[in-house]
Every structure is written in structure tokens, then in C-alpha cells.
Amino acid sequence: MKVIEGTRWSPRRLALRAWVLCWLTLVWVLLWGTLSMANIISGLVIALMITLLLPLPPVPVEGRVHLLSLLRLIATVAYYLLESSVQVAWLAVKPGPPPLTAVLRAHFAVKSDLVLALAVNIVNLTPGTIALEIDQTRRVVYIHVIDVGSDRALSRFYRQIGQFERLLIAAFERESDWRPSSEKEADR
């Protein structure tokens, strides 16, 4: 019997469901703060109830994950989180007037809505920036940025956004692995 990728019980979908169950169980155990068999079993029961009674709509996965590029993305995001945390802390304690802030427009040349959502989450996690609006069709994100008082600060922001974009594409949307979902093909 051949399993088709789009069917309800494909190996990829089963692996994803197992991952969600494990993740929700881990969150439950961490919330309780004690690793015990009772917490693991109750977490698994809660995870099953959540996934069966409150299912989320399927999100089309259109590319492949490239582990080395993903690790590079994680390391880069971690570096920028640390760097921007120090910058925001310095802005909070330095004497003088408050820094100049602005809403800047950033274009992300990503194809997938899932990767765009990941890009917006990375922006929101970075101290000193927050996404205010997302134009999903044009892939434009309007971002409030602290400290844009110099050309150097502006170029640093756009260089950081460009680097995030390149790393996201390398990790999830390489042209050789890209397969548009059947939902998008039906819309065309």
C-alpha cells in the first residue's frame, strides 16, 4: 500500500503529530517543575486532548529544513539578541535625551507564510524592535525601531534584517527544494 504525502496518515504528518505531543508533554512537565511519571502521563493525556479536541488547521510545509543553515540562523539570532539587549540596556541608563525612534519598512523575499511568521517572531524577539503590521501579500513588515538617530544605526538595522532573510531562505526555502503547496496551486 502506497502512502501519499497529502493523505491524513502520511509519515510526515504522523511524525509532526508525534513531535507536537512530545512538545506539549514537555511543556506540561516544565510547568509543574517536577519530572515524574504522573506528570509525564498527565501531560500526555492533556496533549492528546488538546490535539484531538482543538485541532489547528494544517500549515503547508513547502520546503525542506537544512540543519546546518538552521544552526547558523539560531547562532546569528542568539548573537543579535545579546548585542541588542546590551544596546537597549545602554540606552536605558545613558544620560541625555531619549533615542530617536521610527517605524521602518522591511521587505522579506520569503515565499512561505510560515517562514514569514518565523521572520516576524525573530524581529519581535529582538530587543528594541517590534513588528507593528504585516502586509502578507507584498511580504512587507512595518517595524518600530528604537535608536535610529544615525545613518549607522539605520544601516545596521537593514543589514540585520537582510541577514535574517538570507539565513531563513537558506534554512527553509532553497530553490532546489521548493514545492508550492497544492492550496497555492489551486488559487492560481
Side-chain angles (χ1 to χ4, degrees):
M1 182 172 145
K2 184 177 174 185
V3 178
I4 300 171
E5 187 67 32
T7 63
R8 183 179 175 120
W9 302 110
S10 68
R12 187 176 194 172
R13 190 164 294 199
L14 286 174
L16 183 61
R17 286 184 183 264
W19 168 251
V20 169
L21 288 175
C22 291
W23 177 253
L24 289 173
T25 303
L26 175 67
V27 169
W28 181 262
V29 170
L30 291 174
L31 284 172
W32 281 101
T34 305
L35 181 62
S36 67
M37 191 53 73
N39 280 342
I40 293 171
I41 292 171
S42 62
L44 189 57
V45 168
I46 296 294
L48 281 168
M49 286 177 28
I50 288 172
T51 57
L52 294 175
L53 299 177
L54 305 168
L56 292 172
V59 176
V61 178
E62 300 160 321
R64 262 185 62 212
V65 176
H66 295 272
L67 191 57
L68 189 58
S69 296
L70 179 62
L71 292 174
R72 203 172 308 133
L73 172 67
I74 291 169
T76 303
V77 169
Y79 170 76
Y80 280 125
L81 291 177
L82 183 64
E83 179 186 51
S84 60
S85 295
V86 170
Q87 290 170 349
V88 169
W90 172 246
L91 289 173
V93 297
K94 84 173 190 176
L100 181 64
T101 63
V103 176
L104 302 176
R105 181 177 53 208
H107 180 267
F108 286 92
V110 296
K111 300 172 189 170
S112 166
D113 292 339
L114 185 62
V115 177
L116 180 63
L118 183 59
V120 169
N121 281 314
I122 289 170
V123 166
N124 284 336
L125 282 174
T126 306
T129 61
I130 188 163
L132 300 175
E133 185 177 342
I134 305 165
D135 184 344
Q136 186 178 0
T137 55
R138 293 183 1 209
R139 301 292 196 234
V140 174
V141 180
Y142 296 91
I143 303 168
H144 182 268
V145 182
I146 295 176
D147 192 22
V148 293
S150 68
D151 289 338
R152 190 172 137 232
L154 280 173
S155 66
R156 182 176 59 232
F157 168 76
Y158 283 114
R159 186 175 57 247
Q160 181 178 347
I161 292 295
Q163 190 172 15
F164 288 156
E165 176 187 37
R166 285 187 302 279
L167 290 170
L168 284 165
I169 290 171
F172 302 109
E173 294 187 342
R174 290 187 184 171
E175 200 62 43
S176 60
D177 299 324
W178 185 253
R179 293 174 295 131
S181 68
S182 57
E183 293 172 10
K184 286 188 181 177
E185 289 173 353
D187 290 343
R188 290 182 187 166

